Amino acid sequence: MGLIIGMKKNNLIFLLSLMTYSVFTIIFTLHHKLYLYGVNTGTIAFITIAQKYIMGDFSNAVVGGFTPLSSWLLIPFMKLGMPPIAALSVVKLIVGLLILAGIRALSLSFEMSEGMRNVISFTSVPIVMQFSLTENIPDLLITCTVIFYLSVIFRPDYQDKLSSGVRCGVIGSVGYLGKAFMFPFFISHFILMSILHYYRTKNSRVWKNMIVGLVAFLVVSAPWII
């Protein structure tokens, strides 16, 4: 019973950190016009591409120099009638929440007290808030996906589940759709971590995880590459 109460308390504290982030991000955005930060030619291009998707101009919406995920995330909010900059702010707010959730998940991959995890959750709020208010969507997306990827690959029982390799591959491919840098980073880092996991555990299942992870990454990434 005490363990259940402790878990509920820690989840409540984590939810409180998410609420704190949301409230202060909205206040700073509205009162200090921070939604204008991070708006550059790249941001305008993502908005323009999203508009092309909305209009059904798919042939011109596929632009090799711009990964698609940033534009895809804007589409639902722009279709609801939101101004592009407002849609941009909402997406950045949501991605910031996901980054905080990823940091929480990453902390669960390491041995530490719940009190320390709660401290990490709250001290991450101002850092993520500043980042989400001032940076471009692709930078936020790759930060988010890298954190979630690390939360899986750093788990001490990573090699015990084949699904862990698949999850790494899918997360990596989502990161690639957000920013092209993820392609070389994921492949090199994933292979290196697989080698390290093998030398740590001497468990041959690590190689199966590596293979299914790379296959999952390439399968999801292939349509966009093509």
Side-chain angles (χ1 to χ4, degrees), residues 40-99:
N40 52 27
T41 54
T43 304
I44 295 171
F46 288 122
I47 292 173
T48 302
I49 292 170
Q51 291 171 335
K52 291 184 183 297
Y53 276 111
I54 293 172
M55 294 185 295
D57 187 9
F58 301 115
S59 59
N60 290 317
V62 178
V63 181
F66 294 91
T67 48
L69 188 56
S70 297
S71 298
W72 292 349
L73 293 175
L74 292 171
I75 291 173
F77 302 102
M78 291 174 62
K79 289 199 72 171
L80 289 174
M82 280 189 180
I85 298 300
L88 181 73
S89 298
V90 172
V91 170
K92 291 169 75 172
L93 172 66
I94 294 172
V95 176
L97 288 170
L98 290 175
I99 291 175

Side-chain angles (χ1 to χ4, degrees), residues 152-159 192-203 206:
V152 178
I153 198 71
F154 280 157
R155 289 185 62 87
D157 61 346
Y158 162 79
Q159 69 284 341
L192 175 61
M193 288 301 300
S194 297
I195 294 171
L196 293 177
H197 270 299
Y198 177 75
Y199 279 103
R200 179 179 68 87
T201 64
K202 303 299 182 183
N203 190 332
V206 169

Side-chain angles (χ1 to χ4, degrees), residues 159-209:
Q159 69 284 341
D160 295 334
K161 298 178 181 178
L162 197 63
S163 60
S164 296
V166 177
R167 288 165 61 195
C168 285
V170 172
I171 294 170
S173 60
V174 171
Y176 164 66
L177 294 175
K179 194 167 186 177
F181 168 79
M182 190 67 170
F183 194 92
F185 169 79
F186 173 80
I187 292 177
S188 58
H189 189 275
F190 187 54
I191 293 174
L192 175 61
M193 288 301 300
S194 297
I195 294 171
L196 293 177
H197 270 299
Y198 177 75
Y199 279 103
R200 179 179 68 87
T201 64
K202 303 299 182 183
N203 190 332
S204 60
R205 283 184 292 185
V206 169
W207 304 124
K208 293 181 180 178
N209 278 15

Side-chain angles (χ1 to χ4, degrees), residues 120-147:
I120 291 173
S121 293
F122 266 101
T123 54
S124 298
V125 168
I127 299 171
V128 175
M129 184 173 70
Q130 190 272 339
F131 192 59
S132 64
L133 286 171
T134 59
E135 295 298 324
N136 297 318
I137 292 182
D139 298 319
L140 293 172
L141 290 175
I142 197 169
T143 300
C144 183
T145 51
V146 166
I147 290 173

